[in-house]
Amino acid sequence: MSQSLPTKTQSTQEATAGDAVASFEARHGPLDRIQHVLHGNPTLVPVLVLLVSILFFGVIVGSRFFNPLTLTLILQQVTIVGIVGVAQTLVILTAGIDLSVGAIMVLSSVIMGQFAVSYGLPAPLALACGLAVGTICGLINGFLVAFVRLPPFIVTLGTWFVFEATNFIYSANETIRAQDVQANASLLQFLGTTFRLGGAVFTYGAVFMVLLVAVLWYVLNHTAWGRHVYAVGDDPDAARLSGIPLSRTLIAVYAVGGFICALAGWAIIGRLGSVSPTSGYEANIQAITAVVIGGTSLFGGRGSVVGTLVGALIVGVFAMGLRIWGTDPQWTRLTVGALIVAAVAADQWIRKVSA
C-alpha cells in the first residue's frame, strides 16, 4: 500500500515545530546568563568583592583607612604574596599545585645573600645565582610531574621539605643582618626602596609586582604558550591529541614558576632588609589563598594572574581594615577562610552550569 506524500500544510507545521524546539533549547534564564558571564570573566567577582570591601571599610573606619597612604601600604604588604601567587597561578592553571613555592623563595633568597655577603660575589652575579637555583627547583618539580608522572600534590609536598631542609642546612639557620647586606650587596635591597607619589608611598617591589602581573597576563592571553597552558589544564587528553607538547609545557610552567619564586626571594630581601632562612614560612598557603579568592579554578583551565593580584589585595584590605577597626586578628583568618570556601563553591557552581 503506497504512502501518501506529506501535504504543504503538514510540512509547514513540522518546520514550525522544529523551529520552536530549537528556540526553546537556545533559551537561557537570567541565572544562566550570569553564570556564563562569570565563566568567561573569572576576575569579575573578585574585583567586585575588592571594591565592596574597600567601600565597606572606608565607611566603617573612615579616613584612617580610605586615604592614599593606607591603600598603598596594603599594596606593599601583599607584594610577596602577589609575586608568589603569580607562580602558583601558572601551576594551578594546568590543574596542578605547588606546595614548595615558599621554600623555593626562601632558599633562593638565602643563596643570593650567602653568595654576596659570605662569598663576596658581585651583587648582580649573586642575584643571578639565586634566580638560577629557583629555576632549577622548578625544573625538578616539573620533571617529576611531567616525566615520572607523579601527582603534583605529592611531588611538591616532598620537595617542599627537601628545599626547606636544604635551606636550613646550607644557611646553618643564621640570619644575614641588614647592615651586612647594605654594605656588600645593596642591589638585593633595591625592591624594598620607597618613593613618594603625591600622598602615597610606593616600593619598587610593588611596582615590580604589578609589571610582572601585566607581563604574565599578556603571555597567557596573547601567546601560543599561554593558550597551551590553559589547554593542558582544561583537558590534557584533548591538548595532547591536538599536538600540544604536554610534558614540555608542564616542565616550562614549573620552571617559570620557580624563577618567579626566586624573584619573590629578591623582593623579600628588600622587604625585610635582611636575609632570613625562616622568612615566608606561610607563603605557600597565602599564595594558594590569593589564587583561589582571585577566581582561578583549582581544577585548571580557567583563571587569571590579574585575579590572583586582586585576591591578594582582598586579603590585604580585610587584614588592614580589621586591624584599624580594632578587632581581634583571628577575625581576619575567619574572614579569609570564609572567602576561600565561598570562592571554591562559586567555582563549582560556575563549572557545573558551563558544562
Side-chain angles (χ1 to χ4, degrees):
M1 200 174 165
S2 60
Q3 295 179 343
S4 60
L5 295 174
T7 65
K8 183 177 180 180
T9 304
Q10 290 173 330
S11 300
T12 303
Q13 290 174 344
E14 290 172 359
T16 304
D19 293 342
V21 171
S23 175
F24 176 77
E25 290 176 350
R27 193 176 299 147
H28 295 289
L31 190 61
D32 293 328
R33 286 195 292 271
I34 290 173
Q35 290 166 331
H36 282 286
V37 168
L38 294 179
H39 184 268
N41 301 273
T43 60
L44 183 58
V45 172
V47 167
L48 292 175
V49 172
L50 177 62
L51 293 176
V52 170
S53 60
I54 290 174
L55 291 174
F56 173 78
F57 286 111
V59 171
I60 296 299
V61 180
S63 60
R64 288 183 299 164
F65 176 84
F66 207 66
N67 64 74
L69 184 60
T70 301
L71 295 178
T72 50
L73 181 59
I74 293 171
L75 189 64
Q76 293 178 35
Q77 292 178 341
V78 303
T79 296
I80 307 303
V81 175
I83 297 175
V84 178
V86 168
Q88 189 70 263
T89 303
L90 291 177
V91 176
I92 290 180
L93 284 174
T94 64
I97 196 165
D98 191 347
L99 298 178
S100 67
V101 288
I104 294 175
M105 175 188 73
V106 179
L107 176 60
S108 300
S109 71
V110 166
I111 293 293
M112 294 173 192
Q114 291 288 345
F115 278 31
V117 177
S118 300
Y119 303 155
L121 291 182
L125 183 56
L127 175 61
C129 290
L131 295 176
V133 167
T135 306
I136 291 170
C137 290
L139 281 171
I140 293 171
N141 286 335
F143 175 81
L144 293 173
V145 170
F147 286 105
V148 186
R149 307 291 183 186
L150 297 177
F153 182 89
I154 301 301
V155 167
T156 58
L157 178 63
T159 55
W160 173 16
F161 289 113
V162 170
F163 299 151
E164 188 177 57
T166 302
N167 160 46
F168 288 127
I169 293 171
Y170 177 70
S171 66
N173 205 14
E174 294 180 354
T175 297
I176 300 175
R177 299 182 307 164
Q179 300 92 318
D180 295 331
V181 177
Q182 176 66 33
N184 294 277
S186 58
L187 174 64
L188 298 183
Q189 297 176 333
F190 170 73
L191 293 182
T193 306
T194 60
F195 64 94
R196 283 190 168 272
L197 193 61
V201 178
F202 295 90
T203 63
Y204 287 109
V207 175
F208 177 77
M209 173 188 65
V210 174
L211 292 175
L212 179 66
V213 169
V215 169
L216 264 295
W217 176 87
Y218 178 84
V219 169
L220 287 172
N221 290 277
H222 297 283
T223 67
W225 185 77
R227 290 189 290 272
H228 291 175
V229 171
Y230 279 104
V232 169
D234 188 49
D235 191 336
D237 293 328
R240 185 184 295 106
L241 291 174
S242 64
I244 294 175
L246 193 61
S247 297
R248 269 192 304 172
T249 301
L250 285 173
I251 286 181
V253 163
Y254 282 91
V256 172
F259 177 79
I260 294 172
C261 289
L263 291 174
W266 181 22
I268 202 170
I269 295 176
R271 177 75 179 163
L272 300 176
S274 59
V275 180
S276 172
T278 60
S279 60
Y281 66 95
E282 285 189 339
N284 55 347
I285 301 301
Q286 293 172 341
I288 295 172
T289 299
V291 173
V292 172
I293 294 177
T296 297
S297 174
L298 289 172
F299 300 97
R302 192 176 67 87
S304 169
V305 289
V306 176
T308 296
L309 175 57
V310 174
L313 289 172
I314 290 172
V315 176
V317 165
F318 273 94
M320 178 65 74
L322 291 172
R323 186 182 307 128
I324 295 176
W325 199 4
T327 61
D328 190 299
Q330 295 305 319
W331 279 102
T332 301
R333 300 179 70 87
L334 186 150
T335 304
V336 170
L339 288 172
I340 292 172
V341 174
V344 174
D347 176 58
Q348 292 274 43
W349 180 61
I350 293 169
R351 290 179 68 89
K352 181 178 178 181
V353 172
S354 67

